[in-house]
Amino acid sequence: MLEFAFLPKVIAVHTSATMSPGPNFALVFKVATERANKLSSYATALGVSVGILIHASLALFGVNQMLSSHEGAMLVLKAVAALYLLYLGYLSLRSAQRIFTGPKDAGANALNPRAEAGHESFQKYFWAGFTNCLFNPKAFLYFVTVLPQGLTHTLSAYQASITLLLLGSITLAWFSLVSLFFRLPAIQARIQRFRLAVSGFTGVLFVYLAATFIVDLARHL
């Protein structure tokens, strides 16, 4: 088992990074706390996990490291991420505005105010989670700068496959737990009493995250 002696460190690093607040957590929180069906929140978690697998695969093959050395590619990534986060912030703030000015049950399902069929809901929220993770510079930089510290040597195909499986499983487990917690009836009851504050908070959080990328972009222009 010496060939997997590096795994405990990798697992510890990845678990800590996954649990830290960021765009992925904000999106899963947003979907779970809005009155979308349960499938939507778990689809978002799955989409984020698949996005993490893409990042991890690129990192293990050295693609992330290569891209990070090209300033232009990083600027484009951050610009796309900032625009996407601004869009999510707009949706949340629009939801807050509807709650403030509309009837009591307005503002639910900011990503789609209308009721959705199960498969449509799953696809929509899966792609929302996947896109959010894929264009998340926090995830990109994590796989370039932080995770490699836990890797002491170049991995074989077998070691890389096991590592990817573990990273994806940790991510899916954490965001599924986040979804489950915020979908609990007792938590939902409390959140529904403060829907305006919750939607406003998530909107401001998305805009703040976008602003950090914009400020970083401005420094490099």
Side-chain angles (χ1 to χ4, degrees), residues 11-55:
I11 291 172
V13 169
H14 186 69
T15 300
S16 299
T18 301
M19 295 175 68
S20 65
N24 291 334
F25 183 90
L27 181 63
V28 173
F29 171 81
K30 171 182 170 58
V31 175
T33 54
E34 292 170 353
R35 290 186 295 176
N37 61 50
K38 185 183 299 185
L39 184 64
S40 300
S41 56
Y42 292 122
T44 306
L46 180 61
V48 169
S49 301
V50 174
I52 287 294
L53 285 177
I54 299 297
H55 278 293

Side-chain angles (χ1 to χ4, degrees), residues 10 21 28 35-36 43 45 53 58 61 75 85 90 92 94 98-100 117 124 127 129 166 171 179-180 185 195 203:
V10 169
V28 173
R35 290 186 295 176
L53 285 177
L58 293 176
F61 283 106
L75 291 177
L85 289 171
Y90 163 73
S92 292
R94 186 179 67 175
R98 286 176 173 172
I99 294 170
F100 183 73
K124 183 177 184 67
W127 286 111
L166 285 173
T171 305
S179 298
L180 177 63
R195 283 183 297 133

Side-chain angles (χ1 to χ4, degrees), residues 21-24 26 55 71 73-88 131-142 204-221:
N24 291 334
H55 278 293
E71 186 175 356
M74 291 299 298
L75 291 177
V76 170
L77 175 66
K78 291 179 180 179
V80 172
L83 290 174
Y84 185 68
L85 289 171
L86 284 174
Y87 171 68
L88 293 178
T131 305
N132 188 74
C133 182
L134 197 63
F135 293 108
N136 178 4
K138 177 177 178 286
F140 181 88
L141 293 174
Y142 158 70
V204 170
L205 178 59
F206 279 127
V207 172
Y208 168 76
L209 292 170
T212 61
F213 296 143
I214 293 173
V215 169
D216 190 52
L217 279 170
R219 289 174 179 170
H220 290 85
L221 293 180

Side-chain angles (χ1 to χ4, degrees), residues 138-153:
K138 177 177 178 286
F140 181 88
L141 293 174
Y142 158 70
F143 281 104
V144 170
T145 61
V146 179
L147 187 66
Q149 297 176 15
L151 302 176
T152 58
H153 59 283

